[in-house]
Amino acid sequence: MPWKLTWSCYAGGHIACGVCDSCRLRLAAFAELGLADPIAYAR
Ligand SMILES: [Zn+2]
């Protein structure tokens, strides 16, 4: 899966904010799969 291409942070910065709904849904999905998210987060 091209995870890096699926990132759609509402903040729209160079890196994902890690706190908006989009980021949290993404992080929750990775946690559920037991995977590490390859992209960087602001926090
Ligand atoms: Zn975000």
Side-chain angles (χ1 to χ4, degrees):
M1 291 286 283
W3 294 112
K4 289 188 176 182
L5 301 180
T6 64
W7 163 45
S8 58
C9 174
Y10 294 161
H14 293 299
I15 60 175
C17 70
V19 294
C20 72
D21 286 347
S22 181
C23 288
R24 294 191 340 181
L25 282 169
R26 181 191 159 92
L27 286 169
F30 272 98
E32 193 165 315
L33 292 169
L35 298 172
D37 194 332
I39 70 170
Y41 283 91
R43 52 157 289 176

